[in-house]
Amino acid sequence: MQKFKLDSLISLKNKGLLFQLMLWLTISCGGLLALPGSTLSILRLDQFVSSNAHFIGLGMIVGFAYLISGVLNLALDASIAHLTQKKVIQTVESKVLLLDPAERALLREFFLQGSTKLTLPQDEEAVKSLIKSSILECLGNERHYAIHGPTADYKISMHAREYLNRQVLRLPAGEPSQEEMQLLIRSRPHFVGGIVQPRKHAA
C-alpha cells in the first residue's frame, strides 16, 4: 500500500513537471514565432529563428497539443466523477426506501451508541448490502477472530447521512419511553453484544 502511494506521488510529480515543460515549450516557441523581425534582430535571434522555424513550429504544435489533451482529460475526469457521484446518490436514495429490518437495526446502532464509527462483522449480510449500496464505508482496521470472524471499522457515508433521519430509522422523535426503549433493545442486531465484548478470541 505504501509503495502504491509512493508510486502515485512520483507519477503525479512527473506529470506536473511534464506539464510545466510543455507549457514553457509552447510559450517559448509561440513567442519566437510571434516576435517581429526587428525585435529578433535586437535579441540576435533572427538567424536562429529563420534557420529553425520548422522545428520551432513543431515544438509549439507538440506543446499545444499536449496542453489541450491535458485540459480535455481534466474535463473528462470531472464529468466521470460527477456521473459517479450522481449514480451513488441515486443508489443511496433507492436503498434508503427499501431498508430491511436487519439493515435498519444496524444503522440505528450508530445513533443508539452515539458513535460515528462502529466495529462490525464483515461477513454479515446487512453489512455487505449497505456497503454495496454506498450507505456504509469501510475505514479499515480489519481483524480476524476465532469466534466472531473478520471485523472492520465502518462509518455512514457522507452521501447517506442526509437521508438517514429518525423517521427512516424508526427512532422515537423525542426521548424514548421505557416501552419504546425495550423495543429498540430487542431489535438490535444479534452480533452487537459479541462485538462490543473485550476481544479475547483473536485468532
Side-chain angles (χ1 to χ4, degrees), residues 5-60:
K5 290 181 179 179
L6 182 60
D7 290 343
S8 299
L9 290 174
I10 292 173
S11 178
L12 288 173
K13 184 178 180 180
N14 290 338
K15 287 182 179 179
L17 291 174
L18 184 58
F19 182 86
Q20 292 181 14
L21 177 62
M22 289 298 177
L23 179 62
W24 280 110
L25 177 65
T26 305
I27 293 173
S28 302
C29 293
L32 289 173
L33 294 176
L35 285 174
S38 57
T39 304
L40 290 173
S41 298
I42 295 173
L43 297 173
R44 296 181 180 180
L45 293 173
D46 51 337
Q47 292 184 358
F48 173 79
V49 172
S50 61
S51 60
N52 296 283
H54 53 294
F55 291 114
I56 296 173
L58 181 61
M60 187 182 72

Side-chain angles (χ1 to χ4, degrees), residues 136-150:
L136 286 184
E137 291 181 5
C138 182
L139 300 176
N141 195 24
E142 298 180 8
R143 294 185 174 88
H144 295 267
Y145 299 96
I147 294 179
H148 303 308

Side-chain angles (χ1 to χ4, degrees), residues 23-186:
L23 179 62
W24 280 110
L25 177 65
T26 305
I27 293 173
S28 302
C29 293
L32 289 173
L33 294 176
L35 285 174
S38 57
T39 304
L40 290 173
S41 298
I42 295 173
L43 297 173
R44 296 181 180 180
L45 293 173
D46 51 337
Q47 292 184 358
F48 173 79
V49 172
S50 61
S51 60
N52 296 283
H54 53 294
F55 291 114
I56 296 173
L58 181 61
M60 187 182 72
I61 291 172
V62 170
F64 187 72
Y66 180 86
L67 295 177
I68 289 296
S69 67
V71 171
L72 291 176
N73 282 334
L74 287 175
L76 181 61
D77 290 343
S79 298
I80 292 173
H82 175 72
L83 291 174
T84 301
Q85 183 176 13
K86 186 176 180 180
K87 184 178 179 180
V88 167
I89 291 174
Q90 289 175 344
T91 302
V92 169
E93 289 177 341
S94 300
K95 183 61 179 177
V96 165
L97 297 174
L98 300 172
L99 290 172
D100 65 28
E103 294 164 349
R104 188 175 283 109
L106 191 155
L107 292 171
R108 275 200 297 263
E109 282 301 308
F110 288 91
F111 291 81
L112 294 176
Q113 297 191 31
S115 176
T116 59
K117 178 181 72 173
L118 291 181
T119 300
L120 301 172
Q122 292 180 289
D123 294 336
E124 189 67 27
E125 286 302 320
V127 174
K128 292 180 180 179
S129 177
L130 293 172
I131 283 284
K132 185 178 180 181
S133 58
S134 301
I135 291 179
L136 286 184
E137 291 181 5
C138 182
L139 300 176
N141 195 24
E142 298 180 8
R143 294 185 174 88
H144 295 267
Y145 299 96
I147 294 179
H148 303 308
T151 65
D153 291 341
Y154 294 88
K155 72 172 183 177
I156 297 176
S157 70
M158 294 300 295
H159 298 296
R161 289 183 185 182
E162 61 180 298
Y163 299 99
L164 297 177
N165 52 42
R166 287 180 172 271
Q167 183 178 0
V168 169
L169 297 179
R170 298 180 185 174
L171 286 165
E175 188 70 23
S177 64
Q178 186 173 1
E179 183 181 353
E180 289 172 331
M181 183 58 71
Q182 289 299 321
L183 288 173
L184 289 174
I185 291 173
R186 285 199 295 269

